[in-house]
Amino acid sequence: MLREALLIARKDLRVEWRSKVTLGHVAPLALLILVVFAFAFDANARLLELGAGGLYWVAVLFGGTLLIQRAFDVETEDGNFDAFRMSAIGAPSLFLGKSLGVFFQVVLLELVLVPGVVLLYNVRIENWVLLLAAAVGGTLAFSVCGVLWGAMAAGLRVRATLLPLLLVPVLAPVLLAGSRAFETALGVRAEAGWTWTSLMFVIAAVHTAIGLGTFGFLLEEG
Amino acid sequence: MSEVTTVATGWGLSFIVVVTYALWIVGRGKTVGRELGIGGQEELDPGSDSSMPADS
Amino acid sequence: MSTVVNFHKVVAVAGGFPVLAGLDIEIAKGEIVHLRGSNGAGKTSFMRVCAGLIPISDGDANVLGFDMRDDRRSPRRHIGLLGHDNHLYKDLWVQEHVEFRAAATGAEAGDAGAALRRVGLSDRLWSVPIERLSAGQRRRVAIASMLVGRPQLWLLDEPHAALDHEGRGLLDEILVEAASSGATVVFASHERDLSKSVATRVVTLRGGRLMEDSGAA
Amino acid sequence: MAQMPGTKHMTATPATRVLGAVALVAVLLMVLLGLVVSPADVVQGQAVRMLYLHVPSIWIAYGAFVLTSLSSALFLIRSRRRHDGGRHYDRLAGSAAEVGVVFTGITLATGMLWGRVTWGTYWQWDARLTTTVLLFVTYLGYLALRRLPADPMTRGRRTAVMALVSFVNVPIVHYSVDWWRTLHQKASLSVGRRPEITGEMYWTLLYSTLAVTIVASWLIVHRYRVIRLEELRDEEALEALIASRLKEDDVQA
């Protein structure tokens, strides 16, 4: 199972390596969003510093949704969805593989966003370990939910508008927990960032379980 | 807005929503029923959907 | 000769339209069936039903021993389907794509090279992104991707369409080789003369049903 | 294909007429009790009457979404066994979800109005209302997915999976929003806690919940039948297509 999942993930990362969509298009866009937030808040340093944790995750949410869209467009263009469904790889491995692929691409995105937030919103990272754990937890939850809902909307003509509508309500708790955890890590707030981080891992675990069980159903376009 | 007017708007609004929704459903039932051509009152299979106990 | 595909009065609906309307057909192992028929006759739908991608709403369908009413997923690992599209990841290099398809079916990465040579693609092209290939070359990569999976049932929709003369010759050789090694081949094609060279049997569909069957060779 | 040759072509049957009448009477009584008979609250005055609508609506909405998830699960199980099975569960899920969305909407409207009076602002990021708005959007997405044209079984499967996943999400959303707000409230004094409902108000609230349940049931039954009628129409159109295809070939053959 894991071997097959890694196979899918490796293929997705190679597609990314060849097409450079994440690094070339989505990461700069996410950075741009951080800049646009500053316009929205009239470059009010205090406000940006306070909101840095939250704005970061909104940028990840936005960029990540585009990556999910891309991950399934790759699977549906040129009749690939038939091959995806015909593949000898079982649905659970397809699910894990796609999630891993998306996970690494979102991590790529965050490697650009973290320095972006630190520089643009001049925040100091007090607790690196918490920041890292929260980032991993949030990205994991994001990737798993994203792939689950991405498959739901894959191949549909209206997927560009339907996917965000389906995805954001489900990811609201991740955005909430991520923001609070990051604020703690950035020293803006004193609450227990670790509890919020663990909540994100719980969300990731719950959706992984659901995905493993239902991904087969989602592929049955029939 | 005083308390009484707020309560009145709240109840009024909710009633309007429910009534329009109910009328829309029955109306839709009629139009689709007409499209099916066989109007009339035959009894639907009574077994399968007695009123749903929306337990709260 | 064990039956690979057995349809009895099969009705299948896709997109709210009865694409198959009472189809009866039986295909035995090792046959090469040439499916003929105008557009909308049901050629593509027949293959998608065999592949389990479209559910059947009436009649009985049995593919590779699986009853398609109960279990449409299990036979898929033994079936190769090549539609009008090529099912290629256009961003990948030629070799990477075929190696992925090989690994996905449990074959060796090395088989990819052999398959690519078999379809006449010189290794100069192996490290070229599929996007930059011509339609004919892409078709060959698609055929190589299918060859590498060694399916028991080959379903090809208009495979000869984008190929040049040399490509068609190679494809026919591959199909004959697959059939002789125990696989079963079904391909759809408009051109009439093709049926002479390779097919052991010609079947014509119209209106989602069987019209003519030249019977087993 | 259609199970019953002589089927219903109007959504009303004697049984639902009775249910409709009972619902009307119940609502009239509810208005009487809620707006007139029951006393104003010591703390809140008249505003408490809003709760007689607000609280039952959110309970009914949750009840409807429980029904949606339950029937979705049953649909998935049944459709695995018999190719065309479980269609009635799919219809039930669809109708319950739509009614649930209507009542979630009412909950939001009445909640905001109640907030306006007690807290002075329509939206105060109160944990309950925030969760409700997320629930509202989630099931709007469900309805959007349901509207996509697809054959009933594919659509049923897709929406059933979504209903289950969304349902698992409700507690997650509930917990995280609660936790977020209680953190906040610890920081600031929590104002306008819901008044203790006792005595006569308690019975009014209980009765209102019963009345709203009856209304909701009436809506779900009728909505179910409209979906059934629509599916019958599509099936008949399909059968006509199949018949014409068969005829068309015999003529030419």
Side-chain angles (χ1 to χ4, degrees), chain A residues 3 7-8 11 14-15 18-19 70 74-75 77-80 82-91 216 219-220 222, chain C residues 48 51-55 72-73 76-77 79-81 85-93 96 100-101 103-106:
Chain A
R3 190 189 63 77
L7 185 68
I8 299 275
K11 179 263 294 177
R14 187 165 290 144
V15 166
R18 293 279 175 252
S19 60
R70 159 87 182 145
V74 161
E75 294 301 341
E77 92 193 323
D78 196 27
N80 262 322
D82 283 348
F84 193 68
R85 291 172 61 205
M86 292 290 290
S87 140
I89 298 176
L219 295 184
E220 278 322 304
Chain C
R48 288 179 71 81
L53 296 177
I54 300 179
R72 290 192 282 127
R73 274 186 72 82
R76 289 185 192 164
R77 64 182 61 252
I79 298 175
L81 176 70
D85 305 318
N86 292 318
H87 319 294
L88 299 175
Y89 294 113
K90 292 201 185 111
D91 300 297
L92 292 182
W93 288 359
E96 287 171 345
F100 169 69
R101 287 286 185 231
T105 53

Short mmCIF file of all heavy atoms in Angstrom, two decimals, chain A residues 3 7-8 11 14-15 18-19 70 74-75 77-80 82-91 216 219-220 222, chain C residues 48 51-55 72-73 76-77 79-81 85-93 96 100-101 103-106:
data_model
loop_
_atom_site.label_atom_id
_atom_site.label_comp_id
_atom_site.label_asym_id
_atom_site.label_seq_id
_atom_site.Cartn_x
_atom_site.Cartn_y
_atom_site.Cartn_z
N ARG A 3 4.00 1.55 -0.77
CA ARG A 3 4.83 1.62 -1.99
C ARG A 3 4.04 2.29 -3.11
O ARG A 3 4.50 3.23 -3.75
CB ARG A 3 5.24 0.20 -2.42
CG ARG A 3 6.30 0.18 -3.52
CD ARG A 3 6.49 -1.23 -4.05
NE ARG A 3 5.27 -1.74 -4.68
CZ ARG A 3 4.89 -1.35 -5.91
NH1 ARG A 3 5.61 -0.45 -6.57
NH2 ARG A 3 3.80 -1.84 -6.46
N LEU A 7 4.56 5.86 -5.00
CA LEU A 7 4.67 5.90 -6.46
C LEU A 7 3.84 7.07 -7.02
O LEU A 7 4.30 7.88 -7.82
CB LEU A 7 4.11 4.56 -7.00
CG LEU A 7 4.21 4.30 -8.49
CD1 LEU A 7 5.66 4.13 -8.89
CD2 LEU A 7 3.41 3.06 -8.84
N ILE A 8 2.61 7.17 -6.53
CA ILE A 8 1.72 8.25 -7.00
C ILE A 8 2.32 9.61 -6.60
O ILE A 8 2.38 10.55 -7.41
CB ILE A 8 0.32 8.10 -6.36
CG1 ILE A 8 -0.32 6.79 -6.74
CG2 ILE A 8 -0.55 9.29 -6.70
CD1 ILE A 8 -1.05 6.78 -8.04
N LYS A 11 5.17 10.57 -8.71
CA LYS A 11 4.74 11.01 -10.04
C LYS A 11 4.24 12.44 -9.98
O LYS A 11 4.61 13.28 -10.80
CB LYS A 11 3.65 10.06 -10.54
CG LYS A 11 3.07 10.39 -11.89
CD LYS A 11 1.77 11.17 -11.80
CE LYS A 11 0.65 10.38 -11.18
NZ LYS A 11 -0.58 11.19 -11.05
N ARG A 14 7.04 14.80 -9.64
CA ARG A 14 7.82 14.94 -10.89
C ARG A 14 7.03 15.81 -11.88
O ARG A 14 7.59 16.67 -12.56
CB ARG A 14 8.07 13.55 -11.49
CG ARG A 14 9.01 13.62 -12.69
CD ARG A 14 9.54 12.26 -13.06
NE ARG A 14 10.49 11.71 -12.10
CZ ARG A 14 10.54 10.39 -11.81
NH1 ARG A 14 9.65 9.58 -12.34
NH2 ARG A 14 11.45 9.93 -10.98
N VAL A 15 5.69 15.63 -11.88
CA VAL A 15 4.88 16.50 -12.77
C VAL A 15 5.11 17.96 -12.36
O VAL A 15 5.32 18.84 -13.19
CB VAL A 15 3.38 16.13 -12.64
CG1 VAL A 15 2.51 17.22 -13.26
CG2 VAL A 15 3.10 14.80 -13.30
N ARG A 18 8.53 19.14 -13.43
CA ARG A 18 8.62 19.43 -14.87
C ARG A 18 7.85 20.70 -15.21
O ARG A 18 8.25 21.49 -16.05
CB ARG A 18 8.01 18.26 -15.67
CG ARG A 18 8.80 16.97 -15.57
CD ARG A 18 9.98 16.97 -16.52
NE ARG A 18 10.78 15.76 -16.32
CZ ARG A 18 11.98 15.78 -15.73
NH1 ARG A 18 12.47 16.91 -15.27
NH2 ARG A 18 12.68 14.68 -15.58
N SER A 19 6.71 20.93 -14.57
CA SER A 19 5.85 22.04 -15.02
C SER A 19 6.06 23.28 -14.16
O SER A 19 5.67 24.37 -14.56
CB SER A 19 4.39 21.62 -14.91
OG SER A 19 4.14 21.29 -13.55
N ARG A 70 -5.23 21.95 -9.26
CA ARG A 70 -4.20 21.55 -10.23
C ARG A 70 -3.95 20.04 -10.14
O ARG A 70 -3.89 19.34 -11.14
CB ARG A 70 -2.91 22.32 -9.92
CG ARG A 70 -1.62 21.72 -10.45
CD ARG A 70 -1.32 22.16 -11.84
NE ARG A 70 -0.06 21.49 -12.31
CZ ARG A 70 0.13 21.11 -13.56
NH1 ARG A 70 -0.79 21.31 -14.46
NH2 ARG A 70 1.26 20.54 -13.93
N VAL A 74 -4.57 17.61 -13.40
CA VAL A 74 -3.56 16.73 -13.99
C VAL A 74 -4.15 15.34 -14.21
O VAL A 74 -3.93 14.69 -15.22
CB VAL A 74 -2.32 16.64 -13.05
CG1 VAL A 74 -1.48 15.42 -13.37
CG2 VAL A 74 -1.52 17.91 -13.09
N GLU A 75 -5.00 14.94 -13.26
CA GLU A 75 -5.56 13.58 -13.35
C GLU A 75 -6.75 13.51 -14.31
O GLU A 75 -7.18 12.42 -14.67
CB GLU A 75 -6.05 13.11 -11.96
CG GLU A 75 -4.96 12.90 -10.94
CD GLU A 75 -3.91 11.88 -11.38
OE1 GLU A 75 -4.20 11.08 -12.29
OE2 GLU A 75 -2.81 11.91 -10.82
N GLU A 77 -7.07 15.65 -17.21
CA GLU A 77 -6.87 16.10 -18.60
C GLU A 77 -6.42 14.90 -19.44
O GLU A 77 -5.92 13.90 -18.93
CB GLU A 77 -5.83 17.22 -18.64
CG GLU A 77 -4.41 16.72 -18.85
CD GLU A 77 -3.35 17.75 -18.59
OE1 GLU A 77 -3.56 18.94 -18.91
OE2 GLU A 77 -2.34 17.35 -18.02
N ASP A 78 -6.63 14.99 -20.72
CA ASP A 78 -6.23 13.98 -21.70
C ASP A 78 -6.81 12.60 -21.36
O ASP A 78 -6.19 11.57 -21.59
CB ASP A 78 -4.68 13.89 -21.75
CG ASP A 78 -4.22 13.15 -23.02
OD1 ASP A 78 -4.98 13.19 -24.01
OD2 ASP A 78 -3.15 12.52 -22.99
N GLY A 79 -8.01 12.59 -20.74
CA GLY A 79 -8.64 11.31 -20.45
C GLY A 79 -7.95 10.54 -19.35
O GLY A 79 -8.11 9.33 -19.20
N ASN A 80 -7.13 11.23 -18.55
CA ASN A 80 -6.37 10.53 -17.52
C ASN A 80 -7.24 9.97 -16.41
O ASN A 80 -6.84 9.04 -15.71
CB ASN A 80 -5.34 11.49 -16.89
CG ASN A 80 -3.97 11.26 -17.53
OD1 ASN A 80 -3.61 10.12 -17.82
ND2 ASN A 80 -3.27 12.32 -17.81
N ASP A 82 -9.87 8.23 -16.63
CA ASP A 82 -10.16 6.82 -16.92
C ASP A 82 -8.99 5.96 -16.46
O ASP A 82 -9.17 4.96 -15.77
CB ASP A 82 -10.39 6.62 -18.43
CG ASP A 82 -11.77 7.13 -18.82
OD1 ASP A 82 -12.57 7.38 -17.89
OD2 ASP A 82 -12.02 7.30 -20.03
N ALA A 83 -7.77 6.39 -16.83
CA ALA A 83 -6.59 5.59 -16.45
C ALA A 83 -6.47 5.55 -14.93
O ALA A 83 -6.15 4.52 -14.34
CB ALA A 83 -5.34 6.24 -17.06
N PHE A 84 -6.79 6.69 -14.29
CA PHE A 84 -6.72 6.75 -12.82
C PHE A 84 -7.67 5.73 -12.22
O PHE A 84 -7.35 4.99 -11.29
CB PHE A 84 -7.10 8.18 -12.40
CG PHE A 84 -6.79 8.54 -10.97
CD1 PHE A 84 -5.47 8.66 -10.56
CD2 PHE A 84 -7.80 8.75 -10.05
CE1 PHE A 84 -5.18 9.00 -9.24
CE2 PHE A 84 -7.52 9.09 -8.74
CZ PHE A 84 -6.21 9.22 -8.33
N ARG A 85 -8.86 5.62 -12.82
CA ARG A 85 -9.85 4.68 -12.26
C ARG A 85 -9.52 3.26 -12.67
O ARG A 85 -9.83 2.31 -11.96
CB ARG A 85 -11.25 5.06 -12.78
CG ARG A 85 -11.74 6.38 -12.19
CD ARG A 85 -13.01 6.84 -12.85
NE ARG A 85 -14.09 5.87 -12.67
CZ ARG A 85 -15.12 5.76 -13.49
NH1 ARG A 85 -15.17 6.50 -14.55
NH2 ARG A 85 -16.06 4.88 -13.26
N MET A 86 -8.87 3.12 -13.84
CA MET A 86 -8.54 1.76 -14.31
C MET A 86 -7.29 1.22 -13.61
O MET A 86 -6.99 0.05 -13.68
CB MET A 86 -8.26 1.78 -15.82
CG MET A 86 -9.45 2.08 -16.69
SD MET A 86 -10.65 0.75 -16.72
CE MET A 86 -9.77 -0.49 -17.63
N SER A 87 -6.57 2.12 -12.94
CA SER A 87 -5.25 1.74 -12.42
C SER A 87 -5.34 0.57 -11.46
O SER A 87 -6.32 0.42 -10.73
CB SER A 87 -4.65 2.95 -11.70
OG SER A 87 -4.00 2.54 -10.54
N ALA A 88 -4.31 -0.26 -11.49
CA ALA A 88 -4.31 -1.46 -10.64
C ALA A 88 -4.11 -1.06 -9.19
O ALA A 88 -4.28 -1.86 -8.28
CB ALA A 88 -3.17 -2.37 -11.08
N ILE A 89 -3.75 0.24 -8.95
CA ILE A 89 -3.51 0.68 -7.57
C ILE A 89 -4.86 0.89 -6.88
O ILE A 89 -5.76 1.50 -7.45
CB ILE A 89 -2.71 2.01 -7.59
CG1 ILE A 89 -1.35 1.78 -8.26
CG2 ILE A 89 -2.55 2.57 -6.19
CD1 ILE A 89 -0.52 3.04 -8.43
N GLY A 90 -4.95 0.38 -5.68
CA GLY A 90 -6.22 0.47 -4.94
C GLY A 90 -6.55 1.91 -4.57
O GLY A 90 -5.66 2.75 -4.48
N ALA A 91 -7.85 2.15 -4.32
CA ALA A 91 -8.30 3.52 -4.01
C ALA A 91 -7.58 4.10 -2.78
O ALA A 91 -7.14 5.24 -2.81
CB ALA A 91 -9.82 3.52 -3.80
N GLY A 216 -12.76 5.19 -2.83
CA GLY A 216 -13.22 4.31 -3.92
C GLY A 216 -14.57 4.78 -4.44
O GLY A 216 -14.81 4.86 -5.64
N LEU A 219 -14.42 7.76 -6.75
CA LEU A 219 -13.90 7.58 -8.12
C LEU A 219 -14.96 7.00 -9.04
O LEU A 219 -14.86 7.07 -10.25
CB LEU A 219 -12.69 6.63 -8.08
CG LEU A 219 -11.47 7.15 -7.32
CD1 LEU A 219 -10.32 6.16 -7.45
CD2 LEU A 219 -11.04 8.52 -7.86
N GLU A 220 -16.01 6.41 -8.41
CA GLU A 220 -16.98 5.71 -9.26
C GLU A 220 -17.86 6.72 -9.97
O GLU A 220 -18.98 7.00 -9.58
CB GLU A 220 -17.85 4.78 -8.40
CG GLU A 220 -17.18 3.47 -8.11
CD GLU A 220 -16.37 2.93 -9.28
OE1 GLU A 220 -16.94 2.78 -10.36
OE2 GLU A 220 -15.15 2.74 -9.13
N GLY A 222 -19.13 6.38 -12.80
CA GLY A 222 -20.23 5.59 -13.34
C GLY A 222 -20.73 6.14 -14.68
O GLY A 222 -20.25 7.15 -15.13
N ARG C 48 -16.29 0.82 -22.75
CA ARG C 48 -16.29 1.38 -21.38
C ARG C 48 -17.10 0.49 -20.46
O ARG C 48 -16.80 0.38 -19.26
CB ARG C 48 -16.84 2.81 -21.42
CG ARG C 48 -15.86 3.79 -22.07
CD ARG C 48 -16.44 5.21 -22.13
NE ARG C 48 -16.52 5.83 -20.82
CZ ARG C 48 -15.49 6.41 -20.21
NH1 ARG C 48 -14.30 6.42 -20.80
NH2 ARG C 48 -15.63 6.98 -19.03
N ALA C 51 -14.91 -2.25 -19.50
CA ALA C 51 -13.90 -1.80 -18.53
C ALA C 51 -14.54 -1.47 -17.18
O ALA C 51 -13.86 -1.10 -16.23
CB ALA C 51 -13.19 -0.56 -19.07
N GLY C 52 -15.86 -1.56 -17.11
CA GLY C 52 -16.53 -1.31 -15.83
C GLY C 52 -16.65 0.17 -15.51
O GLY C 52 -16.93 0.55 -14.37
N LEU C 53 -16.41 1.03 -16.50
CA LEU C 53 -16.50 2.48 -16.23
C LEU C 53 -17.94 2.95 -16.32
O LEU C 53 -18.31 3.97 -15.76
CB LEU C 53 -15.62 3.25 -17.23
CG LEU C 53 -14.12 2.96 -17.11
CD1 LEU C 53 -13.34 3.71 -18.19
CD2 LEU C 53 -13.61 3.34 -15.74
N ILE C 54 -18.78 2.18 -17.04
CA ILE C 54 -20.21 2.53 -17.12
C ILE C 54 -21.00 1.37 -16.53
O ILE C 54 -20.77 0.21 -16.90
CB ILE C 54 -20.66 2.75 -18.59
CG1 ILE C 54 -19.87 3.89 -19.24
CG2 ILE C 54 -22.15 3.05 -18.66
CD1 ILE C 54 -20.25 4.12 -20.70
N PRO C 55 -21.92 1.64 -15.58
CA PRO C 55 -22.72 0.55 -15.00
C PRO C 55 -23.76 0.06 -16.00
O PRO C 55 -24.16 0.81 -16.90
CB PRO C 55 -23.41 1.21 -13.80
CG PRO C 55 -23.48 2.66 -14.14
CD PRO C 55 -22.28 2.95 -15.01
N ARG C 72 -17.69 -4.01 -10.54
CA ARG C 72 -17.13 -3.42 -11.78
C ARG C 72 -15.66 -3.06 -11.61
O ARG C 72 -15.02 -2.65 -12.58
CB ARG C 72 -17.90 -2.12 -12.10
CG ARG C 72 -19.31 -2.33 -12.57
CD ARG C 72 -19.89 -1.04 -13.13
NE ARG C 72 -20.30 -0.09 -12.10
CZ ARG C 72 -19.90 1.18 -12.07
NH1 ARG C 72 -19.05 1.62 -12.96
NH2 ARG C 72 -20.31 2.01 -11.14
N ARG C 73 -15.16 -3.14 -10.37
CA ARG C 73 -13.80 -2.63 -10.18
C ARG C 73 -12.73 -3.71 -10.37
O ARG C 73 -11.69 -3.47 -10.97
CB ARG C 73 -13.67 -2.05 -8.75
CG ARG C 73 -14.14 -0.59 -8.68
CD ARG C 73 -13.85 -0.01 -7.30
NE ARG C 73 -12.44 0.22 -7.08
CZ ARG C 73 -11.80 1.30 -7.53
NH1 ARG C 73 -12.47 2.19 -8.24
NH2 ARG C 73 -10.54 1.49 -7.30
N ARG C 76 -10.70 -4.51 -13.63
CA ARG C 76 -9.98 -3.41 -14.29
C ARG C 76 -8.48 -3.61 -14.29
O ARG C 76 -7.78 -3.20 -15.21
CB ARG C 76 -10.29 -2.08 -13.58
CG ARG C 76 -11.71 -1.62 -13.82
CD ARG C 76 -11.95 -0.26 -13.19
NE ARG C 76 -13.36 0.08 -13.16
CZ ARG C 76 -13.84 1.05 -12.39
NH1 ARG C 76 -13.03 1.75 -11.61
NH2 ARG C 76 -15.12 1.35 -12.40
N ARG C 77 -7.95 -4.30 -13.24
CA ARG C 77 -6.49 -4.43 -13.21
C ARG C 77 -5.99 -5.30 -14.37
O ARG C 77 -4.83 -5.23 -14.74
CB ARG C 77 -6.03 -5.01 -11.87
CG ARG C 77 -6.52 -6.41 -11.57
CD ARG C 77 -6.07 -6.90 -10.19
NE ARG C 77 -6.61 -6.04 -9.13
CZ ARG C 77 -5.88 -5.20 -8.41
NH1 ARG C 77 -4.59 -5.07 -8.70
NH2 ARG C 77 -6.40 -4.46 -7.48
N ILE C 79 -7.40 -5.17 -17.42
CA ILE C 79 -7.90 -4.62 -18.69
C ILE C 79 -7.08 -3.38 -19.08
O ILE C 79 -6.76 -2.56 -18.22
CB ILE C 79 -9.39 -4.22 -18.55
CG1 ILE C 79 -10.25 -5.45 -18.24
CG2 ILE C 79 -9.89 -3.54 -19.82
CD1 ILE C 79 -11.70 -5.13 -17.96
N GLY C 80 -6.74 -3.28 -20.35
CA GLY C 80 -6.06 -2.08 -20.86
C GLY C 80 -7.06 -1.33 -21.72
O GLY C 80 -7.64 -1.91 -22.63
N LEU C 81 -7.27 -0.05 -21.42
CA LEU C 81 -8.24 0.74 -22.20
C LEU C 81 -7.51 1.92 -22.83
O LEU C 81 -6.82 2.67 -22.15
CB LEU C 81 -9.36 1.25 -21.27
CG LEU C 81 -10.40 2.18 -21.92
CD1 LEU C 81 -11.28 1.40 -22.90
CD2 LEU C 81 -11.29 2.84 -20.86
N ASP C 85 -8.64 9.70 -26.25
CA ASP C 85 -7.51 10.40 -25.62
C ASP C 85 -6.38 9.39 -25.37
O ASP C 85 -6.62 8.19 -25.39
CB ASP C 85 -7.95 11.00 -24.28
CG ASP C 85 -9.17 11.88 -24.45
OD1 ASP C 85 -9.16 12.62 -25.46
OD2 ASP C 85 -10.12 11.78 -23.66
N ASN C 86 -5.21 9.93 -25.04
CA ASN C 86 -4.06 9.04 -24.86
C ASN C 86 -3.76 8.73 -23.39
O ASN C 86 -2.88 7.92 -23.12
CB ASN C 86 -2.80 9.71 -25.45
CG ASN C 86 -2.93 9.78 -26.97
OD1 ASN C 86 -3.38 8.82 -27.59
ND2 ASN C 86 -2.59 10.92 -27.55
N HIS C 87 -4.51 9.36 -22.49
CA HIS C 87 -4.27 9.13 -21.04
C HIS C 87 -2.81 9.35 -20.68
O HIS C 87 -2.17 8.49 -20.05
CB HIS C 87 -4.65 7.69 -20.64
CG HIS C 87 -5.92 7.20 -21.28
ND1 HIS C 87 -7.16 7.74 -21.00
CD2 HIS C 87 -6.14 6.27 -22.25
CE1 HIS C 87 -8.09 7.13 -21.72
NE2 HIS C 87 -7.51 6.24 -22.50
N LEU C 88 -2.26 10.50 -21.12
CA LEU C 88 -0.84 10.75 -20.83
C LEU C 88 -0.69 11.95 -19.91
O LEU C 88 -1.47 12.91 -19.98
CB LEU C 88 -0.09 11.06 -22.14
CG LEU C 88 -0.08 9.94 -23.20
CD1 LEU C 88 0.59 10.45 -24.47
CD2 LEU C 88 0.65 8.72 -22.66
N TYR C 89 0.34 11.90 -19.03
CA TYR C 89 0.67 13.08 -18.22
C TYR C 89 1.60 13.94 -19.06
O TYR C 89 2.80 13.70 -19.14
CB TYR C 89 1.35 12.66 -16.93
CG TYR C 89 0.44 11.89 -16.00
CD1 TYR C 89 0.67 10.55 -15.72
CD2 TYR C 89 -0.67 12.50 -15.42
CE1 TYR C 89 -0.17 9.84 -14.88
CE2 TYR C 89 -1.52 11.79 -14.58
CZ TYR C 89 -1.26 10.46 -14.32
OH TYR C 89 -2.09 9.76 -13.48
N LYS C 90 1.05 14.95 -19.69
CA LYS C 90 1.82 15.66 -20.72
C LYS C 90 3.06 16.35 -20.17
O LYS C 90 3.98 16.64 -20.90
CB LYS C 90 0.90 16.69 -21.38
CG LYS C 90 -0.21 16.05 -22.20
CD LYS C 90 -0.74 17.03 -23.24
CE LYS C 90 -1.94 16.46 -23.99
NZ LYS C 90 -3.20 17.17 -23.63
N ASP C 91 3.09 16.63 -18.84
CA ASP C 91 4.25 17.33 -18.31
C ASP C 91 5.45 16.40 -18.19
O ASP C 91 6.59 16.83 -18.20
CB ASP C 91 3.94 17.92 -16.91
CG ASP C 91 2.77 18.89 -16.99
OD1 ASP C 91 2.93 19.92 -17.68
OD2 ASP C 91 1.69 18.59 -16.44
N LEU C 92 5.17 15.10 -18.06
CA LEU C 92 6.29 14.17 -17.81
C LEU C 92 7.08 13.89 -19.08
O LEU C 92 6.59 14.11 -20.19
CB LEU C 92 5.72 12.84 -17.28
CG LEU C 92 5.09 12.85 -15.90
CD1 LEU C 92 4.64 11.45 -15.52
CD2 LEU C 92 6.08 13.38 -14.85
N TRP C 93 8.30 13.37 -18.87
CA TRP C 93 9.05 12.91 -20.04
C TRP C 93 8.45 11.57 -20.50
O TRP C 93 7.79 10.87 -19.73
CB TRP C 93 10.53 12.69 -19.68
CG TRP C 93 11.27 13.98 -19.46
CD1 TRP C 93 10.76 15.25 -19.58
CD2 TRP C 93 12.64 14.12 -19.06
NE1 TRP C 93 11.73 16.17 -19.29
CE2 TRP C 93 12.90 15.50 -18.97
CE3 TRP C 93 13.68 13.22 -18.79
CZ2 TRP C 93 14.14 16.02 -18.61
CZ3 TRP C 93 14.92 13.73 -18.43
CH2 TRP C 93 15.16 15.12 -18.34
N GLU C 96 9.57 8.67 -18.32
CA GLU C 96 9.02 8.75 -16.95
C GLU C 96 7.57 8.27 -16.94
O GLU C 96 7.14 7.54 -16.06
CB GLU C 96 9.08 10.21 -16.47
CG GLU C 96 10.47 10.67 -16.13
CD GLU C 96 10.50 12.19 -15.88
OE1 GLU C 96 9.51 12.87 -16.27
OE2 GLU C 96 11.48 12.68 -15.31
N PHE C 100 6.16 5.02 -15.07
CA PHE C 100 5.12 5.12 -14.03
C PHE C 100 4.01 4.11 -14.28
O PHE C 100 3.57 3.37 -13.39
CB PHE C 100 4.54 6.54 -14.00
CG PHE C 100 3.29 6.64 -13.15
CD1 PHE C 100 3.37 6.51 -11.77
CD2 PHE C 100 2.05 6.79 -13.74
CE1 PHE C 100 2.22 6.56 -10.99
CE2 PHE C 100 0.89 6.85 -12.96
CZ PHE C 100 0.98 6.74 -11.59
N ARG C 101 3.59 4.03 -15.54
CA ARG C 101 2.51 3.08 -15.89
C ARG C 101 2.97 1.65 -15.60
O ARG C 101 2.20 0.82 -15.10
CB ARG C 101 2.15 3.21 -17.37
CG ARG C 101 1.36 4.46 -17.72
CD ARG C 101 -0.08 4.37 -17.24
NE ARG C 101 -0.85 5.54 -17.70
CZ ARG C 101 -1.59 6.31 -16.89
NH1 ARG C 101 -1.65 6.04 -15.61
NH2 ARG C 101 -2.27 7.35 -17.35
N ALA C 103 5.27 0.69 -13.33
CA ALA C 103 5.31 0.49 -11.87
C ALA C 103 3.89 0.34 -11.33
O ALA C 103 3.62 -0.46 -10.44
CB ALA C 103 6.02 1.67 -11.23
N ALA C 104 2.95 1.11 -11.89
CA ALA C 104 1.57 1.08 -11.37
C ALA C 104 0.96 -0.31 -11.54
O ALA C 104 0.13 -0.74 -10.76
CB ALA C 104 0.72 2.11 -12.10
N THR C 105 1.40 -1.06 -12.56
CA THR C 105 0.81 -2.41 -12.74
C THR C 105 1.78 -3.48 -12.22
O THR C 105 1.60 -4.65 -12.52
CB THR C 105 0.58 -2.68 -14.24
OG1 THR C 105 1.83 -2.41 -14.91
CG2 THR C 105 -0.49 -1.78 -14.81
N GLY C 106 2.81 -3.06 -11.53
CA GLY C 106 3.69 -4.05 -10.92
C GLY C 106 4.76 -4.58 -11.85
O GLY C 106 5.50 -5.49 -11.52
#
